[in-house]
C-alpha cells in the first residue's frame, strides 16, 4: 500500500473515531480539542497527510480505551477490551511476585540517568515468579500499536545475548545514556533498533554499547497506579 493510500485509510478511521467515539460533528472542533491547526487537521481526514504525533499523544494520554493499532493500521477494533490496571496490580499483596523497576523505558528519544534500579515488589495475579523477571512502565509513542505510552510491561533480563537473543522481538535496551524499548534485529553484528510506529526512524547500536537487555514477554495494560 502506498503512503497516500495509507493516509487515506487512516484519515477515514480518524474521522470515524471523531464521529462515533468522541461524538464530535465537525473536524474543526476536534482540531481545537487536540491542539492541531484546523488547516492541517482537515488534510489528515482528507488523506493528504499522516496523523500528527500531537493527535496520537492526546488520544493515548486521555483515552486509553482507544485502540491506536486500529487507528494506524486497522488492527482489531476501535476500542480496546483491556482491563484497567487497578484491577490487576497490587503493592499490598503478601505474595509479591514481580520486581518493579523505578525507571521508564522510552519508546522514542529520551535521556535516562543510568541503569534501571530495583525499587519495589508488586503482585500480578496469575503471574509465575521468576528470577530475572521485572516490570516497568513505557513512555513515548514509537512502539504504537504494540505498546502505548503508560503501558506496564513484564520483561526478563537476557544474561547471554548470543544464546538467548530472538531476532525481531521487543526489548528494553539499556545504553550508556538512554533506556529504550524497541523491536531489535541483529544485522552484520550490529543491533538495529526499530519502532513499530512508522513515523520514527530506526537507530543502531554496537554490541559494546549495550549494558543490559531485557526481552518484553507480556504487556499488562495501561497503568496509573504507580
Amino acid at each position: 500500500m502506498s503512503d497516500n493510500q495509507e493516509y487515506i485509510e487512516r484519515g477515514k478511521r480518524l474521522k470515524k473515531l471523531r464521529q462515533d467515539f468522541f461524538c464530535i460533528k465537525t473536524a474543526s472542533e476536534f482540531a481545537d480539542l487536540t491542539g492541531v491547526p484546523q488547516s492541517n487537521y482537515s488534510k489528515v481526514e482528507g488523506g493528504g497527510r499522516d496523523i500528527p504525533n500531537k493527535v496520537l499523544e492526546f488520544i493515548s494520554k486521555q483515552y486509553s480505551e482507544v485502540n491506536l493499532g486500529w487507528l494506524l493500521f486497522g488492527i482489531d477494533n476501535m476500542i480496546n477490551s483491556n482491563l484497567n490496571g487497578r484491577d490487576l496490580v497490587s503493592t499490598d499483596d503478601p505474595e509479591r511476585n514481580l520486581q518493579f523497576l523505578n525507571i521508564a523505558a522510552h519508546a522514542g528519544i529520551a535521556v535516562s540517568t543510568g541503569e534501571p534500579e530495583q525499587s519495589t515488589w508488586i503482585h500480578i495475579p496469575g503471574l509465575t515468579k521468576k528470577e530475572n523477571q521485572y516490570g516497568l512502565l513505557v513512555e513515548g509513542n514509537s512502539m504504537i500499536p504494540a505498546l502505548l505510552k503508560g503501558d506496564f510491561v513484564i520483561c526478563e533480563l537476557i544474561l547471554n545475548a548470543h544464546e538467548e537473543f530472538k531476532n525481531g522481538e521487543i526489548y528494553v535496551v539499556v545504553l550508556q545514556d538512554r533506556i529504550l524499548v524497541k523491536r531489535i534485529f541483529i544485522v552484520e553484528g550490529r543491533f538495529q533498533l526499530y519502532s513499530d510506529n512508522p513515523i520514527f526512524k530506526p537507530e543502531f547500536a554496537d554490541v559494546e554499547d549495550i549494558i543490559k537487555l531485557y526481552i518484553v514477554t507480556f504487556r499488562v495494560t495501561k497503568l496509573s497506579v504507580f
Side-chain angles (χ1 to χ4, degrees), residues 17-216:
L17 181 69
R18 168 175 63 80
Q19 294 176 332
D20 295 354
F21 177 77
F22 288 95
C23 299
I24 295 178
K25 293 183 178 180
T26 68
S28 60
E29 288 181 83
F30 194 67
D32 291 339
L33 183 65
T34 57
V36 175
Q38 293 182 15
S39 58
N40 291 345
Y41 182 82
S42 62
K43 293 177 183 177
V44 175
E45 284 199 2
R49 60 170 296 174
D50 207 355
I51 300 174
N53 275 341
K54 202 166 188 178
V55 173
L56 298 178
E57 290 174 359
F58 168 78
I59 295 173
S60 66
K61 287 180 179 179
Q62 303 295 329
Y63 301 92
S64 60
E65 63 269 36
V66 174
N67 179 5
L68 292 183
W70 171 85
L71 179 59
L72 288 170
F73 306 107
I75 298 173
D76 296 329
N77 301 313
M78 181 192 298
I79 305 302
N80 283 314
S81 58
N82 285 345
L83 294 174
N84 190 288
R86 296 177 188 276
D87 300 324
L88 295 175
V89 178
S90 170
T91 56
D92 298 324
D93 196 294
E95 297 181 4
R96 298 175 185 178
N97 55 5
L98 186 69
Q99 298 177 72
F100 172 67
L101 298 180
N102 64 358
I103 192 165
H106 291 265
I109 300 173
V111 176
S112 77
T113 57
E115 293 188 40
E117 297 178 359
Q118 176 182 334
S119 64
T120 188
W121 283 83
I122 61 175
H123 178 71
I124 305 289
L127 180 69
T128 300
K129 186 175 181 179
K130 294 181 182 179
E131 188 176 359
N132 296 320
Q133 182 171 254
Y134 303 88
L136 72 165
L137 295 172
V138 174
E139 288 289 343
N141 293 317
S142 77
M143 289 306 294
I144 292 170
L147 299 173
L148 307 181
K149 181 176 181 179
D151 275 352
F152 180 78
V153 296
I154 297 170
C155 55
E156 294 182 16
L157 178 65
I158 300 299
L159 299 177
N160 190 326
H162 294 288
E163 295 181 3
E164 301 178 57
F165 183 83
K166 298 178 182 179
N167 230 27
E169 295 294 323
I170 299 176
Y171 288 86
V172 174
V173 54
V174 180
L175 302 173
Q176 295 288 343
D177 60 345
R178 291 175 295 164
I179 298 176
L180 303 174
V181 56
K182 297 289 181 182
R183 193 176 300 279
I184 301 181
F185 299 84
I186 293 182
V187 179
E188 297 181 352
R190 296 196 75 196
F191 285 88
Q192 298 190 3
L193 285 54
Y194 283 86
S195 302
D196 283 5
N197 186 338
I199 295 173
F200 293 81
K201 295 181 179 180
E203 298 188 46
F204 302 90
D206 293 319
V207 175
E208 57 268 24
D209 295 331
I210 295 180
I211 299 173
K212 286 184 180 179
L213 199 62
Y214 303 79
I215 186 169
V216 174

